[in-house]
């Protein structure tokens, strides 16, 4: 439950220069004062996402600039401390995302109420934190790709943070799901419900697919070639080693009526989080936590994700 007295300072993860995981430090700052429409949340857990690694390493400099220190963290699970005029009450267990900003890796965070929802019963903070970015998979498959029952879905990066949700969601939507992952993670992809689990370094001929969900970003032309004539490809990442080439390819194929490729970046609000909760309560989605790190070792959490081979989500706990 929420504390009876809110402290004046909060621990949080920041970095004051671009670089390897070691640039991350845990420092203190005043507890934020929620503004209009915001809720103060005592964060209990966050997950680590690929975009945060790219930001910290300086691979997004054209977008992120050179103003420091920078904060880290996209999603969260925790308890409402100050609900303001929202529909929440103090002590409510909530999950959510900050949208297109970062900073959830902190003990206390002011979050727009429209980016929060109640956590389904039965989930603790660590498992709840492994799911909010799954809203990206919901929108990508349902709204962007319009995945239909009986269609063939290929999930690239099927054991990763968005991919593991996409595999489960694709099955729940009635698709035939093929998941690409590393050899060590094929058992997990099968357990998640994939009809086929294939080593991404394996056979060149994968067959043809109605929908490709790409969470990796590289070699996009090769994966467009596996689309059926009416196929659709949704990329949630682009090639950071060749960003102009990657984004140019997406832009060139986005307007096509057939075999199109479109880029999607999640920006969820409460209705989408509520839908995520309904999928969880129905039993169609379950969290998959790879490892848990304390906030003091957030650099270790980043190193673990960078090494690859992750089975689901890396979670940082703030008890």
């Amino acid at each position: 439950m929420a504390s009876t007295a809110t402290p004046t300072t909060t621990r949080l993860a920041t970095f004051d220069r671009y670089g390897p995981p070691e640039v991350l430090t845990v420092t203190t700052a005043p507890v934020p004062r929620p503004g209009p429409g915001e809720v103060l949340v005592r964060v209990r857990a966050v997950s680590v996402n690929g975009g945060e690694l790219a930001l910290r390493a300086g691979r997004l400099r054209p977008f992120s600039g050179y103003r420091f220190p920078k904060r880290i963290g996209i999603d969260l699970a925790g308890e409402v401390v100050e609900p303001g005029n929202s529909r929440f009450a103090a002590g409510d267990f909530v999950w959510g995302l900050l949208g297109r900003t970062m900073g959830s890796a902190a003990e206390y965070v002011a979050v727009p109420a429209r980016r929060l929802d109640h956590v389904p019963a039965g989930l603790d903070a660590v498992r709840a934190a492994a799911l909010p970015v799954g809203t990206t998979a919901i929108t990508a498959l349902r709204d962007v790709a319009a995945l239909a029952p009986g269609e063939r879905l290929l999930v690239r990066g099927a054991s990763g943070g968005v991919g593991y949700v996409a595999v489960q969601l694709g099955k729940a939507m009635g698709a035939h799901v093929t998941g690409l992952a590393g050899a060590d993670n094929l058992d997990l992809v099968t357990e998640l419900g994939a009809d086929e689990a294939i080593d991404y370094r394996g056979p060149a001929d994968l067959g043809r697919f109605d929908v490709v969900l790409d969470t990796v970003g590289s070699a996009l032309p090769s994966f467009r070639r596996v689309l059926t004539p009416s196929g659709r490809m949704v990329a949630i990442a682009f090639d950071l080693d060749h960003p102009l080439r990657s984004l140019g390819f997406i832009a060139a194929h986005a307007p096509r009526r057939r075999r199109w490729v479109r880029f999607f970046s999640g920006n969820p609000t409460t209705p989408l989080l509520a839908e995520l909760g309904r999928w969880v309560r129905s039993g169609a989605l379950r969290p998959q936590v790879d490892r848990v790190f304390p906030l003091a070792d957030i650099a270790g959490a980043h190193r673990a994700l960078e090494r690859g081979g992750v089975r689901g989500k890396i979670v940082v706990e703030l008890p």
Side-chain angles (χ1 to χ4, degrees), residues 10 13 15 31 50 55 59 67-68 72-73 86 96 128 140 154 159 161 169 181 186-187 207 224 230 268 282 293:
T10 177
F15 59 100
V31 169
L55 172 70
R59 304 183 77 186
R67 295 185 63 180
F68 295 99
I72 210 76
S86 73
L154 176 66
S159 63
L169 185 63
L186 297 181
D187 61 330
R224 180 178 179 265
S230 61
S282 74
F293 291 79

Side-chain angles (χ1 to χ4, degrees), residues 1-23:
M1 296 295 292
S3 303
T4 56
T6 304
T8 58
T9 60
T10 177
R11 293 185 302 146
L12 70 159
T14 66
F15 59 100
D16 59 8
R17 65 189 187 281
Y18 294 125
E22 288 71 26
V23 302

Side-chain angles (χ1 to χ4, degrees), residues 243-282:
L244 295 180
R245 181 193 308 171
S246 180
L247 293 173
F249 175 81
I250 294 171
H253 291 87
R256 293 177 179 265
R257 296 175 62 88
R258 295 163 66 86
R259 302 179 73 214
W260 51 252
V261 181
R262 292 175 188 165
F263 180 76
F264 170 74
S265 178
N267 193 24
T269 54
T270 298
L272 193 54
L273 289 161
E275 181 171 351
L276 179 71
R278 289 192 291 272
W279 284 113
V280 171
R281 285 189 290 272
S282 74

